[in-house]
Structure formats: C-alpha cells, structure tokens
Amino acid sequence: MILDQFKLDGKVAIVTGAGRGIGQAYAIGLAEAGADVAIVDVIPMDETIAAIQKLGRKAIGIKADLSKGEKEAPKIVAKVVKALKKVDILVNNAGIIRREPFTEHSAKNWNDVISINLSTPFFLSQAVVRQMIKQGKGGKIINIASMLSFQGGILVPGYAASKGGIKSLTMLMANELSKDGICVNAIAPGYIATATDDLKGICVFLAAPASDYMTGYTYACDGGWLAR
C-alpha cells in the first residue's frame, strides 16, 4: 500500500535546532511517522522530548554548541548510536541570521553565520554518512535551505551565502553518496511563523521510502512566493 511508503517505523533520526520552532515540528512529524528522534540544541529540549515520548517513540536530547561543528559532530553521532543504536535520518535544521548592510557586515557576524549554517551541516553530515556507510543500509539527509538559496535578499550577506552554499552542498552530496544508497535533499521554507506544522509533510516525505528516487534537489515550500 502506498501509505506504507511514508512510514518511518524502526528508523532513527537526528534533528538539530529542534528545541522549538520549525525544528521542533520536524522532530515531532518524524516521530508521528514512526521514528525515534535525537534532538540537538543549546536550549531546553524538554517540550520536544515530551511530545515525542507521548507518541510512544524514543527521544533523547543532546546539548551541543553547533558553532563548533567540526569538534562536536563525531560526539553527537557517537551519543546517538550509543543510545538509539544507529542513524537513518539527519535533518540539518539549526541556523542563525545576522542583519547588517553589506558594507558594514562584521567579520564576526559573517563567521558565526557561516559556521552554524554551512560548516556545521557539512561536518555533521560527514560524521553521519560515515555511520550510515558502516551500517550498510543507506539513509536520508535533509538540509534546510531558504528562499535566499534562490534569491539574493538584502542586509543578510552571511545568511544568503550560507543558504546558497547549502543548495550547492546538497547537490554535491547527492552526487557522491548515491552509490551508498544515501539520498540528500533540501527544504527551502518560505516566510512562515516558526511555530508551525506546515513543513512536517515535506520533511517526512523526504525521510521516507516514498522519496527514494529523489536526491540532489532543493524543494521550495513557500506558499507560492517564488512564483511571483
């Protein structure tokens, strides 16, 4: 039955930045589809964990400074494997934004944004992929892009560069990892309230067997914004 292709029973997912907002919705959506979930954040994660456990799924919280992705990534994966035995799905959701005109954008703001929005997804994906290859059963990686992966925007040079980079990194990863049965796609959210369920569906779809023939693409979920 086709609906079985959307089930995530027995899968283990990692979702970064899931203590609240869109990341929380992703994590709960994956749990509603049957996955156990590891949440990575620097803020309290109790609310998200409780919501997942209420669904009868396992949930763990991992506090990590994602500005130090190269150092933290292997530790995160090791903790997940120890607690939940494997990793099948990664959602690179955590991100920040700094608003300044191009001519005034500070080195600190540039480096902070690039570190969390682009470098950390690279390092965490790298650590997760090594685990997936070891497991030998493929996997799904979902990066979080933006409307600014397609448009330039204004006053957010670091953010625009990082999200354009995410789109390109998604394609590269898809090209290199398809041989290992790992699908890599990205979601580009439109302008929405962050406490929303609007993006649960696309996240579950890209994590599930239903999307096994889809890799390397950035999916705009924007209410028609890019059609203007």
Side-chain angles (χ1 to χ4, degrees):
M1 297 293 290
I2 186 60
L3 292 183
D4 291 338
Q5 296 297 304
F6 293 85
K7 291 181 179 179
L8 297 175
D9 296 353
K11 301 295 185 181
V12 172
I14 299 173
V15 185
T16 65
R20 64 187 176 201
I22 294 175
Q24 183 181 73
Y26 291 145
I28 293 171
L30 293 172
E32 288 173 336
D36 297 326
V37 186
I39 300 153
V40 184
D41 215 322
V42 291
I43 65 172
M45 295 166 270
D46 295 349
E47 183 178 278
T48 310
I49 291 171
I52 291 169
Q53 291 176 338
K54 188 175 180 180
L55 294 166
R57 307 310 314 163
K58 295 177 183 177
I60 64 169
I62 299 173
K63 188 171 184 178
D65 181 357
L66 292 176
S67 69
K68 301 175 180 177
E70 183 177 8
K71 179 180 178 181
E72 292 294 322
K75 296 178 183 178
I76 291 168
V77 174
K79 289 177 181 178
V80 175
V81 172
K82 182 177 180 180
L84 300 175
K85 309 306 180 187
K86 60 176 182 170
V87 182
D88 302 296
I89 300 158
L90 169 63
V91 182
N92 282 309
N93 170 73
I96 62 173
I97 191 167
R98 296 288 183 267
R99 299 183 185 278
E100 285 180 325
F102 177 80
T103 54
E104 299 170 24
H105 202 68
S106 69
K108 183 180 187 309
N109 282 341
W110 173 272
N111 291 330
D112 287 350
V113 171
I114 294 296
S115 174
I116 291 178
N117 292 12
L118 184 57
S119 297
T120 290
F122 167 74
F123 289 119
L124 186 53
S125 294
Q126 193 176 58
V128 165
V129 165
R130 288 169 178 161
Q131 176 62 29
M132 288 177 173
I133 291 173
K134 182 179 178 180
Q135 293 167 184
K137 295 184 178 180
K140 298 294 184 78
I141 296 178
I142 303 167
N143 293 321
I144 305 304
S146 165
M147 291 295 92
L148 298 194
S149 300
F150 302 93
Q151 301 174 324
I154 58 170
L155 305 177
V156 287
Y159 186 83
S162 71
K163 294 304 183 178
I166 283 290
K167 183 173 180 288
S168 292
L169 181 62
T170 296
M171 292 187 285
L172 176 138
M173 290 169 63
N175 289 338
E176 290 199 22
L177 301 176
S178 60
K179 69 183 187 303
D180 300 302
I182 299 170
C183 295
V184 187
N185 291 288
I187 300 169
Y191 296 98
I192 57 176
T194 57
T196 178
D197 290 342
D198 289 342
L199 299 177
K200 276 186 180 180
I202 185 67
C203 184
V204 169
F205 173 58
L206 293 177
S211 62
D212 281 353
Y213 192 52
M214 302 167 69
T215 192
Y217 203 75
T218 296
Y219 296 89
C221 300
D222 64 353
W225 180 267
L226 289 177
R228 294 182 176 186

